[in-house]
Amino acid sequence: MHRISNAVRLLLLLIALGAFPAGAAPLQAQWEFRLLPGDAQGAAHPGLQQWRAATVPGSVHTDLLAHELIRDPYVGAPEAELQWIGLADWEYRARFDVDAASLAKAHAELRFDGLDTYAEVTLNGKPLLRADNAHRTWRARVEGRLRAKSNELQIVFRSPIRTLLPGVQAMPHRIAGNYPSPYGDEPKDAMVGNFARKPAYHFGWDWGPRYVTAGVWRGVDLQAWDAHRLTDVAVRTDSLDAENAKLAVVLQVEQDAVAAPIAVDVEVRDPDGRSVARVQRTVELKPGRNSVDVPVELAKPRRWWPVGHGAQDRYTVQARLDGSADPVLAREQRIGLRTVELRREQDDKGGQGFAFVINGVPIFAKGANVIPFDAFPARVDAARLRQVLVAARDANMNMLRNWGGGYYEDDAFFDIADELGLLVWQDFMFGGGMQPGYDPAFRASVVAEARDNVRRLRHHPSIVLWCGNNEEETAWKDWGHGRDLKSADPAFAAKVWQGYVDLFGNDLRQVVSEDGLGVPYWSSSPSNDLDEKANDSTRGDKHYWQVWGNPALPVQAYLRETPRFMSEYGLQAWPAVATVDQIATRAEQRIDSPVIRAHQKFMAGEGNTRLLHYIELGYGTPKDFEDFIYLSQVMQADGIALAALHHRASRPYTMGSLYWQLNDVWPGASWSSVDYFGRWKALHYAARRFFAPVTVAALRDEGSTRVRLINDGAALDARWRLRVMDVEGKVLRRREQAVTLAAAGVTDIGTYADAELLAGADPARTVAVFELLQDGKVTARQVVGFVEAKDQVLPRQQLTSTLAIDGDHYRLRLHSAALVRAVWIDFGALDVQVEDNLLDLLPGETRDIAVRGPVDLAALREALKVKTLNDR
């Protein structure tokens, strides 16, 4: 029964995730796994050489966990005790039958969408293929090797550490790696991760654990056909505007040894499902691979736009050979019609812009970086992807950067991004350090990996950039990687750098040019595409870590850094207490406890000292761990808001702001705004305000506040208002006037010195409130203090709250008698959605907050906690 359920689970998961191509069927198999007999880990872990049921897609860690052979890798601090798994060799096998119709076909192929990583595959006792790249698709022809009953597929996975370590240790000088293992499973001076084409984060990162996985992590399918098959369909946009679209539907057809004519039928259906174009023709196929171009023209095309700029209309393109519905002869694909340009105009000061232009319209990119959603990718389903991507859209984001140290996301990720109108900056999977690009075999494997993934994903309109890597050029030029290697071995250093240029400057650029359907390529982030300076504020994209990183500048330093496009910046925070409760007992919830340190990966577990430094700068010393969590989230939200508003207010010089990071790989401290379980941190609520299409940026630095009004859309008439008031509500100064907000731009209101605003009032008891009003309603507000929050004199116990039923939801009514800062509403572990959070309430103000979820009113009232800065 268990094996049957595994097979059903395999089928459902593959269908849900789109992990196999049209025309292929997921392998209906009974999977098992074991520690490879004779492995050195067997003595310490007896009994693991026996076969046990396995789940595919999956990994050895999740299979061991399913059989309760290891404890939960996320709960407590089990990481050190589980490193032996990555040092072991593992074996998987699948038993499956093949139906008579498939056996009767002239050709058959097994396709493996994800083998992690060093794999030796045999079929019915004979070698089939050897794999060495977890990011590639591996195919093997199997006609004549299949039988009707009891086929056996065996896969031996070799430890990547043991496979690569001898070669790395033999190098007289080593190229830079990323994060050395603290567990002794790998020497700190001989890291293998840069040499392995598997997700880099599996070797540990500063936001996630080190679990060196193995297994069949994506689907396996079997395809059988006769004379020919349709292997790919791509739609190239040759011209596009509001009046006309000229497209070419490009079919890849594989023909056996005899040339033959074939009927080709291409149909295009509009977003409403109506047929708007159909082309039928007969073409002559030559033996081998054939490329067939079918021109299609559409009048008045409905273009795909990023969210906030238009509709996300998508067309459906269907291609058939011989008029057949046979899956090997027919494919259907959803596409979005849009043009994309990375505009890099020179300015008169020697700088160069960096702006994404969609359908001719420059777009200010608002969003965040995305990391893997789990240490074990097969556990991520489409529902989880949707939860986080919808959260991004709901926070007014329009772009996500898929960071290069993970894996190429499943099609489901991009389908959802297409639907939601989220632009995607897609890194190739290089997370940092330096790669052996000087090795021809390594480069060839990467090129094959790149073609597999560019071709798989190129029909998604959401993808607007392919980027070679994350931080490798700046690490070489700015962090000492290149300098140190040049000092040790100049000739080898020159060879390494030339390999980098060959791989990221030429090879990947060529793949994107040939197969990317017009999407631009960028060699590294940050960079100026192999220009002399890598991380430049005047040209290219920028990663800014002088705040939080070294030298840990205060958050106000964000206001003094104005890039052309900020693709990384961030501040850390812990997730909600309810999330921490799932990994640590209350007794373990201390800043310096072993379990809390194990879930704080920055500075090898010492990151809470950095976090405490930033909290104490602005907010004072936390009273306890719960207060530490609250203040970390307030600090993170306030700091990132400062930076993001500065970037937006610097348009058009700056044209993008992507903070680090959107999501989490596991429950723990990180830079995310949505935690591992999908709970919004304070930052995410703040992001919905600072990324709003129309908002106010009142940014105070060095004794003055500059006020600008931001508008993403068409010009609009509004009013802006300034009130200077004390914390009890007495208005000391007021100004209000009409304003027309510039279209897709910034309207500068002016700069106000503290002395002008305060006019002698006590800065610790006074704030300036800047507001934007539309149709008489306040649509954006910023409360500006004149001292750090820790030094503000805020009245205590000024907030009252009531909960009541209000139609189909609950209403939480908050009323403040005086100024209340950073109101945080918390319902613990209850599964509820709070309409808004992290609020400032002005004296006398009442706010109604909708609360939705499958809980009763009594439970909601019992769970409610409200924290504010006033109560500290």
Side-chain angles (χ1 to χ4, degrees):
M1 188 69 182
H2 183 77
R3 291 179 178 177
I4 293 173
S5 66
N6 277 342
V8 172
R9 189 183 301 114
L10 168 66
L11 175 60
L12 293 177
L13 186 61
L14 288 172
I15 291 172
L17 298 185
F20 56 89
L27 190 67
Q28 299 299 292
Q30 301 168 344
W31 286 92
E32 297 175 305
F33 82 111
R34 66 177 177 178
L35 183 68
L36 189 68
D39 187 271
Q41 297 296 327
H45 304 279
L48 290 183
Q49 292 91 347
Q50 69 185 60
W51 290 105
R52 290 176 169 84
T55 299
V56 169
S59 73
V60 65
H61 286 77
T62 52
D63 285 329
L64 290 168
L65 180 62
H67 288 279
E68 300 181 344
L69 296 168
I70 60 172
R71 60 186 175 124
D72 192 316
Y74 290 179
V75 178
E79 201 171 339
E81 70 192 55
L82 299 180
Q83 295 307 308
W84 66 272
I85 300 171
L87 292 170
D89 294 341
W90 299 91
E91 185 175 13
Y92 279 72
R93 72 179 180 190
R95 291 180 176 144
F96 63 97
D97 300 335
V98 180
D99 62 85
S102 296
L103 282 174
K105 300 286 187 183
H107 308 285
E109 179 182 84
L110 273 171
R111 167 179 164 141
F112 303 85
D113 284 332
L115 296 175
D116 181 15
T117 293
Y118 294 93
E120 301 156 12
V121 186
T122 61
L123 176 63
N124 294 329
K126 294 183 179 180
L128 187 64
L129 64 86
R130 296 174 71 95
D132 61 0
N133 187 327
H135 302 300
R136 284 181 62 177
T137 299
W138 297 92
R139 300 173 177 85
R141 298 293 286 266
V142 292
E143 56 262 29
R145 300 183 59 173
L146 297 170
R147 51 196 183 217
K149 298 291 184 182
S150 301
N151 293 276
E152 184 167 285
L153 187 66
Q154 288 184 291
I155 310 174
V156 172
F157 290 99
R158 302 293 180 182
S159 163
I161 299 172
R162 287 166 48 193
T163 297
L164 294 170
L165 189 57
V168 175
Q169 288 181 311
M171 297 174 67
H173 300 288
R174 291 160 193 157
I175 57 177
N178 289 306
Y179 292 94
S181 173
Y183 304 114
D185 56 317
E186 174 184 87
K188 292 186 177 182
D189 65 344
M191 292 178 277
V192 305
N194 292 44
F195 298 86
R197 292 311 298 148
K198 73 178 264 106
Y201 79 105
H202 285 166
F203 294 92
W205 221 265
D206 61 0
W207 37 252
R210 179 183 175 93
Y211 289 127
V212 183
T213 60
V216 185
W217 76 280
R218 274 186 170 151
V220 181
D221 65 70
L222 175 65
Q223 186 178 74
W225 69 99
D226 282 322
H228 42 249
R229 62 170 172 167
L230 181 59
T231 60
D232 190 37
V233 174
V235 181
R236 187 181 71 239
T237 301
D238 292 330
S239 68
L240 174 67
D241 57 31
E243 299 301 318
N244 187 266
K246 292 183 178 180
L247 313 175
V249 181
V250 184
L251 284 58
Q252 301 299 323
V253 184
E254 188 175 308
Q255 173 70 15
D256 64 14
V258 179
I262 190 171
V264 174
D265 185 347
V266 171
E267 183 180 17
V268 180
R269 297 192 295 273
D270 72 9
D272 299 320
R274 296 171 299 198
S275 180
V276 290
R278 187 169 186 179
V279 179
Q280 296 174 302
R281 62 173 54 181
T282 299
V283 299
E284 188 76 19
L285 295 181
K286 66 180 188 300
R289 296 177 180 175
N290 295 260
S291 183
V292 179
D293 283 28
V294 180
V296 174
E297 191 163 345
L298 304 177
K300 301 288 185 181
R302 292 159 64 175
R303 290 176 290 180
W304 182 95
W305 291 91
V307 61
H309 292 270
Q312 289 73 55
D313 286 324
R314 286 180 290 168
Y315 288 75
T316 300
V317 177
Q318 185 181 73
R320 294 177 182 270
L321 304 182
D322 295 332
S324 175
D326 186 331
V328 300
L329 299 175
R331 287 215 176 189
E332 189 170 279
Q333 209 165 67
R334 294 191 77 184
I335 64 167
L337 300 179
R338 58 95 181 95
T339 60
V340 55
E341 173 194 354
L342 181 59
R343 185 169 294 172
R344 304 188 60 224
E345 294 176 333
Q346 296 282 347
D347 62 32
D348 56 6
K349 296 182 180 179
Q352 190 173 26
F354 189 103
F356 289 93
V357 180
I358 309 299
N359 298 327
V361 177
I363 307 294
F364 189 99
K366 306 179 296 185
N369 289 260
V370 174
I371 64 169
F373 289 77
D374 204 291
F376 313 110
R379 299 206 298 195
V380 182
D381 61 15
R384 189 151 152 216
L385 295 172
R386 177 171 290 278
Q387 177 190 35
V388 177
L389 268 61
V390 166
R393 189 273 315 272
D394 289 350
N396 290 308
M397 297 184 187
N398 60 22
M399 176 176 275
L400 301 174
R401 173 182 173 233
N402 269 340
W403 169 79
Y407 52 87
Y408 303 93
E409 282 289 350
D410 197 88
D411 286 82
F413 178 99
F414 299 95
D415 285 336
I416 297 167
D418 293 346
E419 172 194 334
L420 298 177
L422 294 170
L423 304 174
V424 177
W425 167 318
Q426 180 63 53
D427 283 2
F428 286 101
M429 288 302 111
F430 295 90
M434 183 58 73
Q435 267 66 43
Y438 50 83
D439 178 359
F442 182 89
R443 280 176 56 198
S445 182
V446 171
V447 168
E449 161 197 323
R451 289 200 190 278
D452 284 345
N453 287 284
V454 171
R455 289 174 176 174
R456 173 172 69 91
L457 299 172
R458 60 186 172 183
H459 64 282
H460 291 285
S462 53
I463 297 178
V464 294
L465 186 73
W466 286 94
C467 179
N469 65 71
N470 171 76
E471 295 188 339
E472 294 200 2
E473 184 179 344
T474 192
W476 181 266
K477 292 179 176 179
D478 304 324
W479 301 356
H481 291 184
R483 179 199 62 223
D484 294 346
L485 193 57
K486 289 174 187 176
S487 176
D489 189 336
F492 182 53
K495 181 178 179 180
V496 170
W497 178 246
Q498 186 57 52
Y500 176 94
V501 173
D502 291 341
L503 180 57
F504 297 110
N506 301 324
D507 293 348
L508 294 181
R509 192 185 308 275
Q510 182 176 348
V511 170
V512 174
S513 175
E514 293 173 352
D515 293 330
L517 298 178
V519 170
Y521 173 79
W522 191 246
S523 62
S524 183
S525 180
S527 80
N528 194 35
D529 206 17
L530 282 169
D531 202 355
E532 181 177 353
K533 192 173 180 180
N535 197 13
D536 189 351
S537 296
T538 67
R539 303 164 68 86
D541 71 310
K542 178 82 174 181
H543 291 193
Y544 183 70
W545 287 105
Q546 280 70 41
V547 175
W548 180 265
N550 291 319
L553 298 176
V555 295
Q556 288 77 15
Y558 281 136
L559 300 178
R560 301 156 207 160
E561 177 61 45
T562 308
R564 307 312 296 251
F565 191 105
M566 188 70 89
S567 48
E568 275 193 29
Y569 63 102
L571 292 164
Q572 228 194 43
W574 274 84
V577 172
T579 292
V580 179
D581 283 342
Q582 294 180 256
I583 60 172
T585 66
R586 287 298 174 98
E588 293 168 329
Q589 292 180 27
R590 309 183 314 274
I591 289 177
D592 60 349
S593 80
V595 170
I596 293 303
R597 286 172 56 87
H599 287 261
Q600 168 59 274
K601 293 300 180 181
F602 184 67
M603 293 169 55
E606 299 291 338
N608 283 338
T609 60
R610 181 66 53 83
L611 186 49
L612 191 59
H613 164 73
Y614 276 93
I615 291 171
E616 290 181 335
L617 276 179
Y619 306 90
T621 301
K623 296 179 293 186
D624 52 30
F625 191 75
E626 186 171 338
D627 197 38
F628 175 65
I629 289 175
Y630 165 69
L631 290 179
S632 76
Q633 292 204 20
V634 174
M635 180 277 300
Q636 181 192 40
D638 286 350
I640 298 304
L642 197 68
L645 286 170
H646 169 59
H647 301 152
R648 294 189 67 195
S650 301
R651 179 177 182 164
Y653 184 90
T654 302
M655 284 300 291
S657 183
L658 308 180
Y659 65 73
W660 186 271
Q661 66 208 55
L662 176 65
N663 61 312
D664 271 336
V665 75
W666 77 330
S670 83
W671 296 260
S672 73
S673 60
V674 178
D675 78 16
Y676 177 77
F677 296 110
R679 296 185 174 104
W680 288 24
K681 292 182 182 176
L683 170 58
H684 210 76
Y685 290 98
R688 188 162 59 189
R689 291 190 283 270
F690 63 66
F691 281 151
V694 178
T695 194
V696 56
L699 305 176
R700 179 180 177 273
D701 187 29
E702 297 181 329
S704 66
T705 301
R706 186 176 180 187
V707 183
R708 285 160 289 183
L709 305 179
I710 298 166
N711 177 26
D712 287 342
L716 61 88
D717 293 328
R719 299 186 69 82
W720 73 271
R721 179 169 68 194
L722 162 65
R723 287 179 290 169
V724 180
M725 65 178 64
D726 68 18
V727 296
E728 304 292 347
K730 181 181 178 181
V731 177
L732 308 177
R733 178 181 175 185
R734 179 188 180 103
R735 180 181 176 187
E736 181 175 332
Q737 66 184 60
V739 62
T740 298
L741 274 64
V746 178
T747 303
D748 198 334
I749 295 300
T751 300
Y752 299 86
D754 286 358
E756 177 188 359
L757 293 171
L758 287 168
D762 183 354
R765 296 181 54 83
T766 308
V767 295
V769 181
F770 294 92
E771 294 170 315
L772 186 66
L773 296 88
Q774 296 173 261
D775 298 324
K777 295 181 179 179
V778 175
T779 56
R781 172 193 289 169
Q782 272 198 271
V783 178
V784 177
F786 298 97
V787 296
E788 296 288 354
K790 65 181 179 181
D791 298 319
Q792 278 191 315
V793 180
L794 296 172
R796 294 176 61 83
Q797 298 177 339
Q798 296 296 309
L799 189 69
T800 60
S801 61
T802 56
L803 265 168
I805 297 173
D806 188 2
D808 63 351
H809 63 276
Y810 299 104
R811 182 192 68 241
L812 173 63
R813 175 162 291 172
L814 301 173
H815 177 77
S816 60
L819 176 66
V820 180
R821 302 296 306 270
V823 178
W824 181 249
I825 305 159
D826 187 6
F827 289 99
L830 291 184
D831 182 20
V832 297
Q833 294 78 48
V834 181
E835 177 187 27
D836 203 359
N837 218 330
L838 191 70
L839 309 168
D840 289 338
L841 269 68
L842 300 183
E845 185 173 14
T846 299
R847 285 287 304 273
D848 286 343
I849 309 295
V851 180
R852 292 178 169 84
V855 295
D856 62 41
L857 183 58
L860 207 61
R861 285 172 170 163
E862 183 178 358
L864 173 64
K865 286 185 178 180
V866 180
K867 294 181 69 71
T868 77
L869 290 179
N870 298 56
D871 301 327
R872 303 196 64 259

